Amino acid sequence: MLQEKVSAVTDGGVNAAHAPGLCEIAPEPSNLGPAAPASDQHSNEADQSIENIKVFLHERELWKKFHEAGTEMIITKAGRRMFPGYKVKVTGMNPKTKYILLADIVPADDHRYKFCDNKWMVAGKAEPAMPGRLYVHPDSPATGAHWMRQLVSFQKLKLTNNHLDPFGHIILNSMHKYQPRLHIVKADENNGFGSKNTAYCTHVFPETAFISVTSYQNHKVEFHPTPPCTVQMNHDHRQAEAWQVLLRNRRLSMLSSCQITQLKIENNPFAKGFRGSDEGDLRLSRQHGKDYPVISKNMVRQRLVTSHTHLTGKLGAGLLQAHPQVLPHYQYESGIPLANSDTQDTLANAFPSGREPGLLYHCFKHRDNSRHLELGCKRPYLETAPSAVSEEHYFRSPTSYEPPLLSHSYCGEAHGTREACMYGGEEGDPGVGGGPAGVDSLAPPSLNCNMWASVQPYPRYSMQAVDAVSYQPFATHFSSAAAAASATMPHHSVSAQRPQPPPPDMTIYAPVGTQRGLPPAHSSSSPCSSSSSSPALGPGNRAPHPSLYPRKPGTSPGPLPHRDFSAFHPQSPQPVRDPPYQYPMGMSNTGVHWTDS
DNA sequence: TCCTCTCCCACATTTGAATGGA
DNA sequence: ATCCATTCAAATGTGGGAGAGG
């Protein structure tokens, strides 16, 4: 957890709380200002109302930069952190009330995407959603004072594409669009485990949506110091000069931070080694046996875009007009509009969201024409893109969905059966924390409670699905709250309107192998048996390297069992006994407003 | 057989936590 | 108790290549 000062938070606001259970987003009056106060239905309890909680996304400007470029998040088998990190500042909590903060990542739509012609395009229907997992902040539960004292960082949350991931990372499908969410669950004794009324709220920052990839989709091109053929073909002095300008501008700072890899390299300390410098380029080049600098493709784009101003002024009718096929290509790629484009176009272009019906229609219509999937992708990067403009017709709806920039807050109340506490693997076990009575004993240091619960990506937004869920015997108020919060997550119409049967894999997954030196429990029957903390725990509790636990064929955890587990783990290294934790999703009566009991 | 697309892996580098000595 | 240097695991994007599928 970062120990940053509260004042370091620079991000925007949180919008008002909405009536829980509504699967639609109420329009927000403002995108930028601080959160409008929640529509408080319990004004006499304003101080303690969870609706009063405001969440500010940390590094929101950075997130917005990524969002405008079309955020990509690498997912790997071993798990990859998100960058930018998901950090928030929370205000409005009751300092003495205990809260649980957790995050999950849900599909933003039911499309599969592909990166084509420097744009994200719908490439078909989404693959079946992975069993959802919740990432519970390691400090949970903690008092409001604790949460408000500093930034709340979910930086150690990891994403994986390993469907059998034993480490508790959040499982995602590659080339799909996802939306992280933050849930705040009240966990004090008056509204605690076993309580009928669990107050919670969900916050969504649309700018944190991303497309998961196994490798960044803007690959490298070799930046030869000699002009490319498109320039060489025409021995025009002005073009040669233009190329010199390009070379000269290699080190220009980005006017438009538009490329994901470059944004990550520039902002992620761990990627410092890739930051641009002539020496760095040469180093990378030599590393790959090249005598000439190798510049990332996105850098080329940036430099071209950056140089556009210079070029247009300097070349006029020269290069750009002599080769009109070049400029249109760059003009639109990656949603980087030039002077005439506005932000909305940028956003729409970067993320062809499926939330906008018209856009969807265009995408599918285009796809049905069996054209766009073949366009551009096979062309060398510097080749012309004659379809670039026409593509815009299909992927830039004039009414493109522009996501609000504030977090959407959804408050709700979970009304589910709570026959067991999620902490209560052993009631009375102070380490495990168990049960309603264990709440008070759950001082933050004693409980590192990363929990990984299955979340149904689509059906959870469906009230029909909610009703259809058969409760698992180990429901907890917490999971109920999380599930309820999940159920209130607004979803675009395609998913929300698709009734889903009760999920067959309504499972819980346990964090495993998080204590140093302790192997993860691979047994799906009791995956928590030897684990004591989660991968996201603080220093000293590093997750073991996956290579320490090679999966032999046939010994893999296998498909997630119908009953899987997740548990909060004490820091003590003792094995957690099989915690009968079940986190049925979507069990909340989300049509009921939350209440503080 | 060829091509495209997606994914995996090794690599060099940087960061930051842990450790030990002064 | 504090400071500093060292060590090492974790994290990062990249290029090359494997493998599946058409």
Side-chain angles (χ1 to χ4, degrees):
Chain A
M1 168 89 98
L2 294 178
Q3 302 294 325
E4 299 183 34
K5 291 184 178 179
V6 167
S7 59
V9 177
T10 60
D11 296 281
V14 178
N15 56 354
H18 298 280
L22 298 181
C23 287
E24 58 183 283
I25 303 174
E28 294 306 322
S30 168
N31 283 345
L32 296 175
S39 55
D40 190 6
Q41 300 170 1
H42 306 269
S43 56
N44 54 338
E45 301 175 347
D47 289 348
Q48 301 182 11
S49 169
I50 205 166
E51 288 183 347
N52 272 20
I53 295 175
K54 295 178 175 61
V55 180
F56 300 83
L57 178 65
H58 184 56
E59 294 180 322
R60 181 163 170 251
E61 291 305 314
L62 183 60
W63 274 105
K64 285 165 68 176
K65 281 184 183 178
F66 276 89
H67 186 70
E68 289 169 5
T71 312
E72 299 174 26
M73 292 290 179
I74 292 283
I75 57 176
T76 67
K77 201 173 181 179
R80 195 81 148 189
R81 285 186 180 180
M82 292 173 64
F83 187 86
Y86 197 68
K87 305 172 193 172
V88 297
K89 180 192 178 300
V90 184
T91 63
M93 287 179 163
N94 184 328
K96 295 181 180 178
T97 302
K98 287 187 175 179
Y99 299 90
I100 296 165
L101 266 65
L102 50 99
D104 67 355
I105 297 175
V106 297
D109 54 38
D110 55 357
H111 298 136
R112 179 186 178 89
Y113 290 85
K114 70 182 297 185
F115 194 76
C116 192
D117 261 359
N118 299 297
K119 291 189 294 289
W120 283 104
M121 297 176 175
V122 173
K125 203 163 183 60
E127 294 177 12
M130 292 300 98
R133 290 176 173 177
L134 292 173
Y135 177 89
V136 179
H137 193 280
D139 290 355
S140 299
T143 62
H146 175 81
W147 295 120
M148 293 188 293
R149 189 180 311 136
Q150 63 217 353
L151 280 176
V152 180
S153 172
F154 292 88
Q155 196 173 19
K156 296 194 174 181
L157 184 156
K158 282 188 174 182
L159 313 176
T160 183
N161 60 345
N162 184 5
H163 296 192
L164 307 178
D165 170 72
F167 303 104
H169 303 146
I170 291 183
I171 304 173
L172 305 178
N173 279 319
S174 181
M175 313 300 277
H176 288 61
K177 188 176 176 185
Y178 290 95
Q179 173 66 63
R181 305 184 305 176
L182 169 71
H183 309 285
I184 300 175
V185 182
K186 211 169 179 181
D188 66 315
E189 56 267 65
N190 293 327
N191 190 9
F193 310 94
S195 167
K196 282 188 176 181
N197 301 318
T198 297
Y200 69 92
C201 60
T202 297
H203 297 266
V204 177
F205 297 95
E207 58 266 47
T208 60
F210 62 86
I211 290 181
S212 57
V213 297
T214 54
S215 62
Y216 291 118
Q217 298 301 298
N218 41 2
H219 304 294
K220 275 194 169 187
V221 294
E222 294 178 354
F223 193 81
H224 296 262
T226 54
C229 55
T230 53
V231 175
Q232 275 184 312
M233 284 189 303
N234 190 332
H235 299 283
D236 189 313
H237 171 70
R238 288 173 299 183
Q239 293 175 25
E241 185 180 356
W243 195 249
Q244 291 303 315
V245 172
L246 284 180
L247 291 171
R248 206 174 302 136
N249 288 332
R250 287 183 66 229
R251 296 298 153 218
L252 284 181
S253 61
M254 290 182 295
L255 291 180
S256 171
S257 298
C258 53
Q259 298 302 322
I260 295 304
T261 50
Q262 194 59 30
L263 278 171
K264 297 217 176 192
I265 289 170
E266 294 292 335
N267 293 282
N268 192 335
F270 285 104
K272 206 173 187 176
F274 300 96
R275 287 180 186 171
S277 70
D278 291 326
E279 297 76 15
D281 285 346
L282 287 172
R283 176 184 56 76
L284 281 176
S285 305
R286 288 172 184 145
Q287 174 183 331
H288 297 99
K290 304 293 193 319
D291 292 331
Y292 45 83
V294 174
I295 302 172
S296 65
K297 183 179 181 178
N298 58 30
M299 190 172 290
V300 172
R301 291 181 216 166
Q302 289 159 3
R303 287 163 184 170
L304 285 172
V305 172
T306 302
S307 305
H308 173 64
T309 307
H310 306 274
L311 292 173
T312 50
K314 196 161 187 173
L315 300 177
L319 169 66
L320 300 180
Q321 291 187 7
H323 299 275
Q325 73 275 23
V326 174
L327 181 57
H329 186 57
Y330 293 110
Q331 200 165 13
Y332 293 97
E333 64 186 5
S334 297
I336 308 307
L338 294 179
N340 294 336
S341 300
D342 57 15
T343 303
Q344 182 164 333
D345 281 349
T346 302
L347 292 174
N349 197 24
F351 269 166
S353 170
R355 302 183 193 189
E356 207 285 315
L359 185 60
L360 262 182
Y361 167 76
H362 286 309
C363 292
F364 283 118
K365 178 183 176 183
H366 195 49
R367 187 162 177 261
D368 289 341
N369 289 339
S370 68
R371 290 278 306 152
H372 86 277
L373 291 182
E374 302 169 1
L375 292 174
C377 301
K378 299 178 181 179
R379 283 192 296 273
Y381 177 75
L382 286 174
E383 280 188 13
T384 61
S387 64
V389 175
S390 60
E391 290 284 291
E392 294 302 308
H393 168 73
Y394 293 98
F395 296 98
R396 279 195 189 189
S397 166
T399 57
S400 295
Y401 168 74
E402 181 179 14
L405 294 177
L406 295 180
S407 83
H408 294 290
S409 170
Y410 312 97
C411 298
E413 177 185 10
H415 293 272
T417 56
R418 295 163 187 86
E419 301 175 9
C421 173
M422 67 179 303
Y423 297 150
E426 278 293 306
E427 190 168 5
D429 182 345
V432 178
V439 174
D440 285 343
S441 65
L442 293 175
S446 67
L447 178 65
N448 289 289
C449 49
N450 285 343
M451 178 201 72
W452 304 91
S454 76
V455 178
Q456 286 304 306
Y458 296 139
R460 69 183 133 201
Y461 310 130
S462 164
M463 294 306 104
Q464 293 94 326
V466 168
D467 293 336
V469 167
S470 57
Y471 292 4
Q472 299 297 312
F474 302 109
T476 71
H477 94 283
F478 177 61
S479 59
S480 302
S486 298
T488 63
M489 167 69 180
H491 204 61
H492 76 96
S493 57
V494 174
S495 298
Q497 292 172 359
R498 183 161 36 127
Q500 298 282 337
D505 58 342
M506 186 180 294
T507 57
I508 304 306
Y509 214 80
V512 290
T514 54
Q515 185 75 14
R516 209 172 203 174
L518 286 179
H522 284 269
S523 166
S524 57
S525 60
S526 60
C528 307
S529 58
S530 64
S531 65
S532 60
S533 62
S534 80
L537 296 182
N541 286 331
R542 290 174 179 169
H545 193 278
S547 62
L548 293 174
Y549 314 105
R551 250 200 325 271
K552 294 181 294 184
T555 60
S556 68
L560 294 178
H562 179 68
R563 278 193 188 186
D564 206 339
F565 301 105
S566 180
F568 288 173
H569 302 284
Q571 285 181 328
S572 69
Q574 310 124 319
V576 177
R577 294 176 215 178
D578 285 351
Y581 307 141
Q582 287 283 342
Y583 305 104
M585 295 292 114
M587 59 192 300
S588 161
N589 180 353
T590 54
V592 180
H593 297 296
W594 71 274
T595 58
D596 285 337
S597 60

